[in-house]
Amino acid sequence: MNILIFGPNGSGKGTQGDLVKQKYQLAHIESGAIFREHIGGGTELGKKAKAYIDRGDLVPDDITIPMVLETLQSKGAKGWLLDGFPRNMVQAEKLYDALKAANIELDYVIEILLPREVAKNRIMGRRLCKTNNNHPNNIFIDAIKPDGDKCRVCGGELSARSDDQDEGAINKRHDIYYDTKTGTLAAAYFYKELAKKGATKYIELDGLGTIDSIKDTLLGQLA
Ligand code: AMP
């Protein structure tokens, strides 16, 4: 099974993606993570990409597109969940062309819908438990509100990630995501149109739901 997943930063895309990946044993291909590996490994590609990533800009298409297409080829033979790509119209079209040329089916496209203000608050409301990073705490989500200023799971100390508190950086990322003309939503809608012609299936999820309710809806719709 081959899947694309779209959702703004703060929509729970990572959490849902992990669940789907595990259930269907898919290679999780995340463009951002591939860049981070290159940067960590000090490769030429990593050096080129770093300045863009540090500024919160998109890495140019002539670097990103071949990198992702090669990873799909090398790691995706048994099915993939592609996350973080495509992020603009050019990438959407190139991916479509590459899949068509290689005769690869795109089974599902998932979009997690979340209003921009809500996504921003969710990012700014995230709190990290010092005892365990996986304990979910968010001051703006009722289901996972901290217990006072302590972790709701274990009572541990909480802190906020500095990049989660940088409103400018969050706005920049969301400007790209919510751009329906050439940005990430434009890329998502490109696939939504293809789904109307039967070329793939498009699943829309209400990101305002709880993690469990979104998961149940999603797994119910995947064959
Ligand atoms: P992420 O982990 O998805 O937030 O990605 C981290 C950074 O990697 C982004 O802010 C971009 O600078 C870069 N990046 C990831 N995916 C892409 C993409 N599809 N096109 C261009 N740049 C990307």
Side-chain angles (χ1 to χ4, degrees), residues 7-11 36 52-58 87 116 119-120 123-124 126 161-179 183-185:
N9 207 265
S11 66
R36 285 187 284 278
Y52 297 97
I53 293 176
D54 285 348
R55 285 197 302 271
D57 289 330
L58 289 186
R87 256 180 162 89
R116 184 167 173 162
K120 180 166 152 182
I123 297 170
M124 299 193 77
R126 277 181 197 157
R161 249 169 60 175
S162 60
D163 56 340
D164 279 354
Q165 303 305 305
D166 182 345
E167 225 174 319
I170 296 168
N171 284 337
K172 206 163 178 180
R173 275 184 269 164
H174 281 162
D175 278 347
I176 298 169
Y177 185 82
Y178 287 95
D179 175 352
T184 309
L185 277 184

Side-chain angles (χ1 to χ4, degrees), residues 22 33 49-50 137 158 173 176 201-202 210 214:
Q22 276 172 29
K50 189 172 184 310
N137 288 274
L158 294 177
R173 275 184 269 164
I176 298 169
K201 294 182 208 67
Y202 199 87
T210 63
I214 299 175

Side-chain angles (χ1 to χ4, degrees), residues 35 44-49 52 59-69:
F35 281 128
E44 274 311 303
L45 192 152
K47 282 179 202 151
K48 281 190 202 152
Y52 297 97
V59 177
D61 288 337
D62 61 339
I63 300 175
T64 307
I65 294 171
M67 178 190 84
V68 172
L69 296 182

Side-chain angles (χ1 to χ4, degrees), residues 199-212:
T200 186
K201 294 182 208 67
Y202 199 87
I203 300 176
E204 289 180 324
L205 299 168
D206 179 1
L208 289 171
T210 63
I211 291 176
D212 278 341

Side-chain angles (χ1 to χ4, degrees), residues 20-32:
V20 171
K21 171 195 91 173
Q22 276 172 29
K23 171 143 193 211
Y24 295 98
Q25 303 281 304
L26 305 174
H28 197 179
I29 298 179
E30 283 180 85
S31 46

